C-alpha cells in the first residue's frame, strides 16, 4: 500500500481524493488549514515550509505520490489576486520542489496537480504574469493585473493555473522528474460542485458568469468523479502518463479552443524543434 500527500484534504476534490485513497487502503497525509494530519497555511512561505517538512516527517522521507488540490477561487476582493498566486501557484511549486527527493525515492511516484480549465477558457491573461510566476516573482506577476479592476481576481486565478500547468509540463520531462521515475501531470477540471464553486454561486456577479458559461455536456461535475480520475492518475495504469494536462470539463475547453491544439510545429518553429530533438539524443545516448 502506498503513502500519498494530499493538499486541500479537508474539502471538495482534495477531500474526495483523500477519502478514495484511504478507502483503497493507502496512507494519506492530508495538508489543510484544518482537519488534516498537517495543519498549515499555504499562503505564506513559512506555512509552505511547515507543510513541506511536516509531510516529509510523517512519510519517513518516501512518498509514492501527491495530489495538490489546495486552492482558492476568484471571489472579489482587493487582496485576492495576491492570495490566489500564493496558494494556487507557490503552494504547489514550493511543496513539490521540497518533496521531489522523497518522490524520487519511491521509484515510480505519481503527482497530480489540480489546475483548471480556466487555463484555456479565460481570455487575455497577460503573458507577463505567467512568465513572472515561472520566475518565482509574485510582485512582478501581480503588476499587469492592476488594470483589470474588478476582473483582477479572475485573471489572477487563470494566471495562477496557467502558471502551475506550464510548470508541470516544463518540469515533467526533465531528468529531475521523468528521469527520477516521477510522473508529473495535471488535471484541469471545469466547474465542479464543491464549497469553492458554491461560494462563487453565492456571489451574484460571479453566479451570473458561472451559469452563463458554455458547458456542452451541461451542469456541474462531481468531486467524487474527479477523485476517481486522480486515483487513476496515481495508479500503475498511468505509468506512461507524463506532462499531460487532462481536461475534465464537460467540453468547455473543446468548445472554445477546438482548433488551437493539437497542432503541428509551424515552419518558423523548426529550428527550435530540431534543437530539442538533438538535445534529447545527446543526453539520452
Ligand atoms: P474547496 O474550497 O472545496 O477545497 C479547497 C481546500 O483548499 C479547502 O479545504 C481549503 O481549506 C484548502 N485551502 C485553501 N486555502 C488554503 C491555505 N492557505 N492553506 C492550506 N489549505 C488551503 O475547493 P475545490 O473546488 O475542491 O478546489 C480544489 C482545487 O480545484 C483548487 O485548486 C481549485 O482551484 C481547483 N478547481 C476547482 C474547480 C471547481 O469548480 N470547484 C474548477 C477548477 C479547478
Amino acid at each position: 500500500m502506498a503513502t500519498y500527500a494530499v493538499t486541500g484534504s479537508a474539502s471538495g476534490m482534495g477531500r474526495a481524493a483523500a477519502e478514495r485513497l484511504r478507502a483503497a487502503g493507502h496512507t494519506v497525509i492530508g495538508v489543510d488549514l484544518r482537519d488534516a494530519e498537517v495543519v498549515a497555511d499555504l499562503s505564506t512561505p513559512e506555512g509552505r515550509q511547515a507543510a513541506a517538512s511536516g509531510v516529509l516527517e510523517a512519510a519517513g522521507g518516501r512518498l509514492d505520490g501527491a495530489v495538490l488540490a489546495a486552492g482558492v477561487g476568484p471571489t472579489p476582493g482587493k487582496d485576492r489576486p495576491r492570495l490566489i498566486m500564493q496558494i494556487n501557484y507557490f503552494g504547489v511549486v514550493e511543496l513539490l520542489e521540497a518533496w521531489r527527493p522523497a518522490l524520487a525515492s519511491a521509484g515510480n511516484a505519481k503527482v497530480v496537480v489540480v489546475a483548471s480549465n480556466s487555463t484555456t477558457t479565460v481570455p487575455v491573461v497577460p503573458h507577463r504574469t505567467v512568465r513572472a510566476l515561472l520566475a518565482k516573482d509574485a510582485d512582478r506577476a501581480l503588476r499587469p493585473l492592476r488594470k483589470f479592476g474588478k476582473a483582477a481576481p479572475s485573471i489572477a486565478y487563470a494566471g495562477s493555473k496557467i502558471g502551475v500547468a506550464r510548470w508541470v509540463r516544463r518540469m515533467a520531462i526533465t531528468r529531475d522528474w521523468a528521469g527520477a521515475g516521477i510522473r508529473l501531470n495535471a488535471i484541469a477540471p471545469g466547474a465542479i460542485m464543491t464549497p469553492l464553486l458554491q461560494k462563487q454561486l453565492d456571489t451574484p456577479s460571479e453566479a451570473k458568469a458561472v451559469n452563463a458559461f458554455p458547458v456542452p455536456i451541461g451542469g456541474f461535475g462531481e468531486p467524487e468523479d474527479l477523485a476517481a480520475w486522480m486515483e487513476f492518475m496515481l495508479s500503475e495504469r498511468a505509468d506512461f502518463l507524463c506532462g499531460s494536462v487532462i481536461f475534465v470539463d464537460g467540453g468547455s475547453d473543446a468548445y472554445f479552443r477546438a482548433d488551437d491544439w493539437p497542432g503541428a510545429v509551424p515552419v518558423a518553429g523548426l529550428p527550435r524543434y530540431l534543437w530539442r530533438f538533438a538535445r534529447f539524443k545527446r543526453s539520452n545516448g
Side-chain angles (χ1 to χ4, degrees), residues 24-194:
H26 301 298
T27 300
V28 172
I29 305 163
V31 178
D32 210 304
L33 290 168
R34 62 189 159 83
D35 303 331
E37 284 68 29
V38 177
V39 172
D41 181 355
L42 299 178
S43 71
T44 68
E46 302 75 39
R48 294 192 284 271
Q49 212 164 32
S53 52
V55 165
L56 289 176
E57 205 173 304
R62 183 201 139 116
L63 273 175
D64 296 289
V67 173
L68 287 292
V72 286
T75 44
K78 196 167 159 289
D79 297 330
R80 196 72 178 176
R82 183 173 291 276
L83 191 72
I84 287 170
M85 300 295 183
Q86 290 297 329
I87 301 169
N88 296 9
Y89 184 80
F90 294 102
V92 172
V93 169
E94 287 180 14
L95 263 54
L96 284 177
E97 284 175 347
W99 293 344
R100 202 200 59 81
L103 290 160
S105 301
N108 68 342
K110 315 269 183 345
V111 175
V112 182
V113 169
V114 183
S116 159
N117 77 342
S118 65
T119 46
T120 57
T121 62
V122 172
V124 303
V125 178
H127 294 305
R128 278 195 296 152
T129 291
V130 177
R131 275 202 303 270
L133 282 177
L134 288 163
K136 297 191 175 171
D137 189 335
D139 289 333
R140 196 150 56 82
L142 287 163
R143 233 170 275 148
L145 303 182
R146 285 192 208 130
K147 63 173 183 271
F148 290 99
K150 281 190 179 144
S154 297
I155 305 291
Y157 182 81
S160 73
K161 296 296 188 179
I162 296 172
V164 280
R166 289 262 185 92
W167 185 87
V168 162
R169 284 173 60 76
R170 280 187 180 189
M171 292 303 134
I173 46 82
T174 60
R175 229 174 239 248
D176 280 352
W177 292 84
I182 310 167
R183 280 74 165 173
L184 179 55
N185 294 285
I187 193 162
I192 310 299
M193 191 33 90
T194 66

Side-chain angles (χ1 to χ4, degrees), residues 2-18:
T3 300
Y4 296 112
V6 177
T7 72
S9 59
S11 174
M13 285 182 261
R15 179 173 156 167

Side-chain angles (χ1 to χ4, degrees), residues 257-277:
R257 307 286 299 265
D259 294 330
D260 291 357
W261 183 93
V265 173
V267 173
L270 268 183
R272 193 179 164 80
Y273 174 84
L274 293 171
W275 174 78
R276 281 188 182 281
F277 217 98

Side-chain angles (χ1 to χ4, degrees), residues 9 91 123 138 197 210 221 239 247 253 257 278:
S9 59
L197 180 65
V210 171
D239 271 357
F247 283 78
D253 168 64
R257 307 286 299 265

